[in-house]
Amino acid sequence: MQPVENFQSFYNTTLRPKLKKIDAQRQAIVDKIKLYGAVGIGGGLVLLFFKAGMFPLIIVGAGLYFFYQHHAKAFRETYKQNVIRTMITAAGLTYDHNSRIQQSEYEKSKLFLKKINRYYGDDYVSGVVGKTAIRFSEVFTQYEQNNGDEKTLETIFRGILFIADFNKEFAGETIVLPDVSESALGGFGSFLQSLNYARPQLVKLEDPDFEKNFVVYGTDQVEARYILSPALMQRIVEFKTRTAARVSLSFIDSHVYIAIPINKNLFEAPSLFKSIDNYKQLSEYNGYIQMCVNIVELLDLNTRIWSKD
């Protein structure tokens, strides 16, 4: 695994030679687009001068658009296969940019109950960290909102959905969601939480810091406390602080599901018209990879409990 603190060295020795080669290919494509564009538009303007109408310019524009789309797709494929894959394999994981966490797994997590009308995702990463199997991908879900005669798509979740084997066996379901009502409304907020009929019963815990940040629902009060030990609650609060995001977790079928909201596309190739030799962007991507790998250590998932192998 490539530690974050060594990323500068990894970038200089491993990534930069690849970036220079791909950037030369990118520049050659851009030069062709500019040349074909100049010739095509120039020829179209000449025909327009001779009263040939706008049709030649429309044909030129359409041709340039499809030429750009074809090469932009190939460039994106090259970038992800040669740059992003190299970063992820350096962390000891496997990568498939065309795959994603399946919608059935998203629904199984029970982190978001709203009916989905659109489900997107890519950049699937999987592997084993210590004793713990993990997998995650970018996920983007939307629902259809009716506004009279107009329908709009509203976002349910956009970010990373992370799934890992949990280090304890359990049979029930425990859901940990960001707490808004209690922190804002105190005891009345706690009463409102208990009226969330779409969820299992409210679970009250003894950690005041955790209770300020999260609300917990579970099918089994005793099992929820067995899963959410004092140490794990502290670790979850620390994880939320580190990510500065409204993370959600669920513990179902001896797995932990973690939704980390991120309002941007991850691991995307730069614009075809910009240099790809961008240390800042790649360092940010490396940070997301390390964040997901480090969840195992932060939540102490490699410490196996009793019968869990």
Side-chain angles (χ1 to χ4, degrees):
M1 185 177 66
Q2 179 67 33
V4 173
E5 58 266 22
N6 291 339
F7 184 70
Q8 178 74 66
S9 173
F10 178 73
Y11 172 81
N12 289 331
T13 59
T14 304
L15 292 182
R16 205 159 197 188
K18 295 177 182 290
L19 292 168
K20 286 183 177 180
K21 183 178 179 180
I22 298 170
D23 212 37
Q25 296 170 353
R26 178 197 65 81
Q27 189 59 56
I29 295 169
V30 170
D31 290 344
K32 282 184 180 180
I33 291 173
K34 290 178 178 178
L35 175 62
Y36 296 164
V39 171
I41 292 172
L45 289 173
V46 169
L47 291 173
L48 183 63
F49 179 78
F50 287 104
K51 304 186 184 302
M54 293 295 294
F55 185 69
L57 283 176
I58 294 172
I59 293 296
V60 168
L64 286 173
Y65 173 78
F66 286 111
F67 181 83
Y68 168 80
Q69 289 295 329
H70 171 74
H71 285 286
K73 182 179 180 181
F75 165 68
R76 176 177 177 271
E77 180 84 13
T78 299
Y79 181 86
K80 292 208 169 195
Q81 290 284 21
N82 289 275
V83 180
I84 303 301
R85 179 185 293 277
T86 298
M87 293 172 62
I88 289 170
T89 54
L93 303 171
T94 59
Y95 174 64
D96 184 349
H97 74 272
N98 289 318
S99 293
R100 64 192 179 190
I101 297 292
Q102 295 300 306
Q103 182 174 338
S104 59
E105 293 187 284
Y106 169 94
E107 292 170 346
K108 184 178 180 180
S109 76
K110 299 190 178 179
L111 291 170
F112 307 97
L113 301 181
K114 189 173 285 291
K115 181 183 176 183
I116 301 168
N117 294 104
R118 299 287 188 276
Y119 187 90
Y120 311 93
D122 59 4
D123 295 316
Y124 180 82
V125 180
S126 61
V128 178
V129 179
K131 301 176 182 177
T132 304
I134 70 168
R135 58 192 187 276
F136 61 90
S137 78
E138 185 175 2
V139 168
F140 182 26
T141 59
Q142 296 176 299
Y143 71 95
E144 199 171 76
Q145 177 73 46
N146 290 318
N147 301 310
D149 295 331
E150 185 180 359
K151 293 182 179 179
T152 59
L153 286 172
E154 303 293 337
T155 297
I156 304 170
F157 172 72
R158 182 181 184 185
I160 294 173
L161 181 59
F162 174 96
I163 306 173
D165 293 337
F166 195 58
N167 60 4
K168 298 177 180 179
E169 296 281 9
F170 55 86
E173 299 175 357
T174 300
I175 296 99
V176 180
L177 303 177
D179 184 5
V180 177
S181 59
E182 183 165 347
S183 58
L185 301 173
F188 182 63
S190 182
F191 170 72
L192 292 178
Q193 292 168 354
S194 68
L195 297 180
N196 191 339
Y197 298 117
R199 296 288 183 184
Q201 57 187 305
L202 182 68
V203 178
K204 299 300 289 182
L205 299 163
E206 304 301 322
D207 187 322
D209 194 24
F210 186 85
E211 290 273 300
K212 284 180 187 176
N213 289 279
F214 297 100
V215 56
V216 179
Y217 299 97
T219 56
D220 186 318
Q221 293 273 342
V222 174
E223 188 174 76
R225 290 178 174 82
Y226 161 69
I227 292 169
L228 294 169
S229 65
L232 181 58
M233 286 191 284
Q234 290 178 6
R235 290 170 182 272
I236 291 172
V237 171
E238 183 183 348
F239 178 66
K240 180 203 171 191
T241 302
R242 285 192 187 185
T243 58
R246 296 184 66 223
V247 297
S248 306
L249 305 91
S250 63
F251 301 84
I252 296 172
D253 193 24
S254 296
H255 286 76
V256 56
Y257 299 78
I258 307 177
I260 308 163
I262 299 171
N263 193 30
K264 63 172 70 174
N265 288 329
L266 300 179
F267 308 133
E268 289 304 304
S271 166
L272 196 57
F273 294 96
K274 290 183 180 179
S275 171
I276 66 170
D277 193 356
N278 187 331
Y279 174 82
K280 182 179 178 182
Q281 182 181 59
L282 291 173
S283 180
E284 180 182 342
Y285 290 167
N286 183 71
Y288 286 120
I289 296 166
Q290 294 302 319
M291 174 188 71
C292 291
V293 170
N294 290 339
I295 287 173
V296 174
E297 180 181 353
L298 184 60
L299 300 187
D300 197 27
L301 298 181
N302 279 327
T303 300
R304 300 285 137 167
I305 306 297
W306 298 317
S307 63
K308 186 78 173 182
D309 293 327

